[in-house]
Amino acid sequence: MDLIIRRAKLRKKNGLFDIGIKNGIFAAVEPNLEATAVHEINALENLAIPPFIDPHLHLDAVLTVGNPRYNESGTLLEGIEIWGDHKASVTKESIKKNADKVIKWLIANGTLKIRTHADTTDPSLITVEALVEVKKAWRNQVDIQIVAFPQDGIFTRPDSAKLMQRAVEIGADVIGGIPHHEITSQDGIKDVEFAFELARKHNCLVDIHVDETGDDQSRFIEVMAKQTLVHEMQGQVAASHATAMHNYNNDYALKLMGILKRSGINVITNPFDNSVLQNRTDGYPRKRGHARVDELLTHGINVCIGHDSIMDPWYPLGKGSMLQAANLLLHTAHMSGYHQISQLFDMITDHSAKTLCVEDDYGIQIGKPADMVILDARDEMQAIRLISECLYVIRRGAIISQTTPAKRKITLNGRQECIDFK
Ligand code: FE2
């Protein structure tokens, strides 16, 4: 073996396991592996997992918070307005520089697969070009999918459709949309139909920003479900945000659950942005503005968690931690039950792999690419509670990130004691 990780815990399995890696592939996963390797890591009974996945990120906007101004209202609309002003001064180099920096943060936080959106509404398309170059530059460390994302809508300006087509030719892998941002409901329906037709033409996946509003009349997700069935794209489509669902009446929501299940749509919820952007017009009481995560899961619909923003006009904080996103969703989606904490962990790993259609290359199993993370945590609850460090991040059998957790010493009655919150 080239590398052996010993005494690791694995999710949903009892006991401890040794994990052997050869030529960048998992070659053995068993207790007390007899083989030896030049490099061995003692996992010390910590949890070994496949890498985290961020299925929804805007890499072209990261680290732009405050430029040219802060989003004082906290609304999606002011965020889009600020981003529009920022785009006037953006350069390909500045996008790449910010994306590179954040990708390093994501790696250190154990994320090795990313789906990023790239704004296609500026005629220069430098956002798309920049992220295509970023994808290529990082291909040995991180797998990146790029969504052609019409931030300002398809039918709000004359050339938006052509720019989407051009974005695919440049290298976008997934087709996006933003129906709730079109001027009329009819245009919103056309926005969704356009995305599916373009995806079919180029054999792409679909991932649409849909119903990202508190408006309970925003129901474009049902159009997505219908289009998925019409184009027979079950499993290849993601509905991002779908926050209006929070405010739907319960009769419609129940009908919708059945439709979503039948269409095999994946739902991506984004706790950071959704919690600050949605239901801003409520006054009091304030609703929470998330998709109905627990109901969707109960109905057998695949739901995963995205980070969405990292320090941009829509969300001013963030450090690229999927564990932190799961921690937040636990609170805002009322998912504190014991089995729900395991579900939250699924939503930043396996569920996202399903959404990105990368399951064949994902997981700690013999024959799959040796991508994994050893957490500074014994189980999922500890990892989400502590937002644990990633002690080792391994890509194709090579250690690409190592973290030494902070040491805290308290002194009581002249005696020192180390505290790690475990
Ligand atoms: Fe988004």
Side-chain angles (χ1 to χ4, degrees):
M1 300 288 176
D2 301 322
L3 174 66
I4 293 177
I5 293 94
R6 297 207 183 268
R7 299 179 60 74
K9 281 192 176 165
L10 295 175
R11 295 193 66 210
K12 301 172 185 176
K13 285 186 177 165
N14 293 323
L16 296 174
F17 290 82
D18 295 344
I19 302 162
I21 296 169
K22 179 112 183 123
N23 297 327
I25 303 289
F26 289 120
V29 183
E30 59 190 72
N32 305 313
L33 180 64
E34 283 191 9
T36 56
V38 181
H39 300 290
E40 298 207 0
I41 295 171
N42 187 343
L44 300 171
E45 303 187 18
N46 281 307
L47 194 59
I49 59 163
F52 295 121
I53 298 174
D54 186 354
H56 189 118
L57 181 64
H58 293 260
L59 269 177
D60 53 2
V62 293
L63 309 186
T64 62
V65 64
N67 185 1
R69 62 187 183 280
Y70 284 88
N71 184 340
E72 297 294 350
S73 71
T75 59
L76 177 72
L77 293 178
E78 186 177 343
I80 293 174
E81 205 177 285
I82 295 168
W83 174 241
D85 293 342
H86 174 77
K87 274 191 284 191
S89 64
V90 81
T91 65
K92 197 199 278 190
E93 286 315 307
S94 69
I95 295 169
K96 286 167 64 176
K97 191 175 160 204
N98 289 342
D100 285 346
K101 187 169 182 176
V102 160
I103 288 170
K104 289 174 192 167
W105 295 2
L106 289 161
I107 291 172
N109 282 318
T111 296
L112 298 185
K113 291 186 191 295
I114 302 163
R115 175 180 280 179
T116 180
H117 296 260
D119 186 346
T120 62
T121 52
D122 188 272
S124 71
L125 285 179
I126 56 167
T127 40
V128 183
E129 287 177 4
L131 293 188
V132 168
E133 289 175 25
V134 166
K135 173 181 173 171
K136 196 174 167 195
W138 285 95
R139 67 188 180 282
N140 291 332
Q141 290 82 28
V142 179
D143 302 311
I144 299 177
Q145 294 181 356
I146 299 172
V147 185
F149 172 49
Q151 173 76 74
D152 299 332
I154 297 286
F155 300 101
T156 50
R157 293 178 190 182
D159 288 333
S160 298
K162 279 186 200 154
L163 290 167
M164 285 288 283
Q165 169 75 39
R166 178 89 187 103
V168 179
E169 289 160 9
I170 292 172
D173 316 276
V174 184
I175 309 300
I178 188 163
H180 55 275
H181 197 63
E182 301 286 355
I183 294 169
T184 65
S185 297
Q186 286 87 345
D187 283 352
I189 293 169
K190 279 164 58 185
D191 180 300
V192 174
E193 291 171 347
F194 172 85
F196 276 83
E197 279 160 25
L198 191 60
R200 263 288 171 236
K201 186 173 161 194
H202 295 280
N203 200 21
C204 294
L205 303 174
V206 171
D207 186 337
I208 293 177
H209 281 63
V210 67
D211 303 324
E212 189 185 1
T213 168
D215 176 9
D216 62 358
Q217 300 300 308
S218 185
R219 296 180 173 186
F220 297 107
I221 195 168
E222 68 181 22
V223 184
M224 285 187 68
K226 180 71 188 289
Q227 286 290 304
T228 304
L229 292 167
V230 167
H231 290 279
E232 297 182 343
M233 289 184 70
Q234 290 91 331
Q236 300 171 55
V237 175
S240 280
H241 296 289
T243 51
M245 181 189 299
H246 187 98
N247 297 345
Y248 293 158
N249 69 69
N250 288 329
D251 281 329
Y252 176 67
L254 182 62
K255 176 193 170 194
L256 183 64
M257 295 294 158
I259 295 168
L260 295 179
K261 172 72 177 156
R262 189 176 152 215
S263 64
I265 277 188
N266 304 291
V267 175
I268 303 173
T269 191
N270 298 290
F272 292 121
D273 290 61
N274 295 165
S275 60
V276 299
L277 295 174
Q278 297 308 315
N279 290 86
R280 280 276 177 174
T281 57
D282 277 3
Y284 285 100
R286 284 179 184 165
K287 295 185 279 292
R288 298 190 178 198
H290 275 284
R292 297 179 176 218
V293 176
D294 50 355
E295 280 188 14
L296 289 162
L297 291 166
T298 300
H299 284 83
I301 296 150
N302 187 53
V303 187
C304 53
I305 297 173
H307 203 297
D308 200 3
S309 293
I310 298 175
M311 300 176 67
D312 70 13
W314 297 277
Y315 179 72
L317 309 180
K319 61 173 189 175
S321 167
M322 297 312 296
L323 282 171
Q324 191 181 19
N327 180 301
L328 176 59
L329 191 67
L330 177 147
H331 298 86
T332 53
H334 274 174
M335 290 186 65
S336 54
Y338 187 76
H339 79 281
Q340 288 177 312
I341 290 174
S342 184
Q343 280 184 317
L344 285 164
F345 213 95
D346 290 337
M347 291 166 70
I348 51 178
T349 53
D350 297 344
H351 287 198
S352 294
K354 190 173 178 189
T355 298
L356 267 56
C357 298
V358 295
E359 287 174 294
D360 289 349
D361 285 341
Y362 187 76
I364 302 178
Q365 292 168 26
I366 294 170
K368 290 194 174 184
D371 298 351
M372 63 180 291
V373 173
I374 301 171
L375 291 168
D376 185 23
R378 298 290 168 89
D379 55 35
E380 295 97 324
M381 184 181 281
Q382 198 172 68
I384 291 176
R385 178 174 68 87
L386 299 178
I387 309 176
S388 298
E389 301 288 0
C390 299
L391 300 176
Y392 297 91
V393 180
I394 295 168
R395 169 76 168 180
R396 305 294 192 260
I399 298 166
I400 61 167
S401 175
Q402 252 178 287
T403 298
T404 306
K407 275 197 172 175
R408 305 167 194 87
K409 284 182 189 169
I410 61 167
T411 304
L412 294 171
N413 301 323
R415 285 184 57 202
Q416 283 194 330
E417 187 182 342
C418 286
I419 299 296
D420 62 6
F421 306 116
K422 289 178 181 168

